[in-house]
Amino acid sequence: MQQGYINAEMSDFIIQHSTFINIQPNFDLEKLQFISGYFGPFKINQIVEVPLWVAIELKKKNKCRVIPPEWLSIEKLQQKLDEETINELELAKMEQYYFEISSILFSYCRDDIKDDDKIKLLLEDIKTRRESKIQKKIEEFILRGSDALKINNLNQHERNKIYSNFYGDLKKLRQLKLLSES
């Protein structure tokens, strides 16, 4: 496995276990115990923070309302889109797993996301702008024949996409460069 590359399954596991999210349960229960710790107490309509995977499992059973993270709002996403538009060269700093978390939330909790269609559109616009900038950086890298590619503020999804799409090609380019130098 290449350094820095995390496959989709591993990435999903890490995200769902390391990301905490607020929920509003519709049940009462003192605590839930898992290998990773205790969560709760759960009181009807009182906000509690749990790992994303717990939130998804409770949501599937209609036991809670998921409260989307603050960054998944029209205002915050519009700010990020504006940053991406204004700075044509650099990527804006984003939540590390924004793409994966938003995909998970749209899959299981869409009814809990206010203005979901507008938010989905903003996420797509951000992704498109970022992909365009990344593509330009890669093209510049190839044209320069550089030994290293540096792109600031990549998130895990973007890193994985670069590795899976370009790692083999970049390795071949490097070999060709070494052959031409010898």
Side-chain angles (χ1 to χ4, degrees), residues 13-39:
F13 179 84
I14 291 168
I15 292 162
Q16 289 200 36
H17 285 78
S18 64
T19 301
F20 283 73
I21 194 159
N22 288 326
I23 63 167
Q24 196 171 30
N26 58 19
F27 65 94
D28 287 322
L29 185 66
E30 266 314 297
K31 288 187 179 183
L32 289 173
Q33 180 184 359
F34 297 100
I35 293 171
S36 57
Y38 292 92
F39 303 104

Side-chain angles (χ1 to χ4, degrees), residues 7-154:
N7 66 33
E9 293 80 22
M10 180 62 79
S11 183
D12 193 49
F13 179 84
I14 291 168
I15 292 162
Q16 289 200 36
H17 285 78
S18 64
T19 301
F20 283 73
I21 194 159
N22 288 326
I23 63 167
Q24 196 171 30
N26 58 19
F27 65 94
D28 287 322
L29 185 66
E30 266 314 297
K31 288 187 179 183
L32 289 173
Q33 180 184 359
F34 297 100
I35 293 171
S36 57
Y38 292 92
F39 303 104
F42 298 91
K43 305 279 184 212
I44 293 176
N45 293 328
Q46 288 188 4
I47 294 172
V48 63
E49 187 179 65
V50 297
L52 182 55
W53 73 269
V54 172
I56 297 307
E57 289 305 314
L58 290 172
K59 180 66 180 178
K60 285 180 190 176
K61 293 171 176 42
N62 293 316
K63 294 293 182 185
C64 73
R65 180 177 76 82
V66 173
I67 301 170
E70 193 175 306
W71 57 263
L72 194 60
S73 68
I74 290 175
E75 298 80 25
K76 297 287 184 182
L77 291 172
Q78 186 62 57
Q79 286 174 352
K80 289 299 176 183
L81 181 58
D82 292 346
E83 284 179 48
E84 294 294 353
T85 304
I86 291 167
N87 189 341
E88 295 178 13
L89 300 175
E90 296 296 324
L91 298 174
K93 190 165 179 65
M94 296 285 292
E95 174 73 28
Q96 176 64 7
Y97 299 113
Y98 88 92
F99 179 81
E100 296 89 342
I101 294 170
S102 61
S103 294
I104 291 167
L105 292 177
F106 271 94
S107 293
Y108 297 103
C109 313
R110 191 171 190 139
D111 60 322
D112 292 333
I113 301 171
K114 183 181 174 196
D115 300 316
D116 60 322
D117 289 332
K118 174 76 172 159
I119 286 175
K120 188 88 167 163
L121 186 62
L122 284 166
L123 286 166
E124 284 300 317
D125 288 347
I126 290 168
K127 183 180 174 204
T128 300
R129 290 244 166 82
R130 291 175 70 87
E131 286 175 348
S132 175
K133 289 180 187 181
I134 291 167
Q135 185 64 39
K136 284 179 186 172
K137 293 267 190 191
I138 291 170
E139 288 169 4
E140 290 170 9
F141 164 77
I142 292 170
L143 288 173
R144 282 194 320 264
S146 300
D147 289 331
L149 173 63
K150 182 178 181 184
I151 304 175
N152 294 323
N153 298 323
L154 284 173

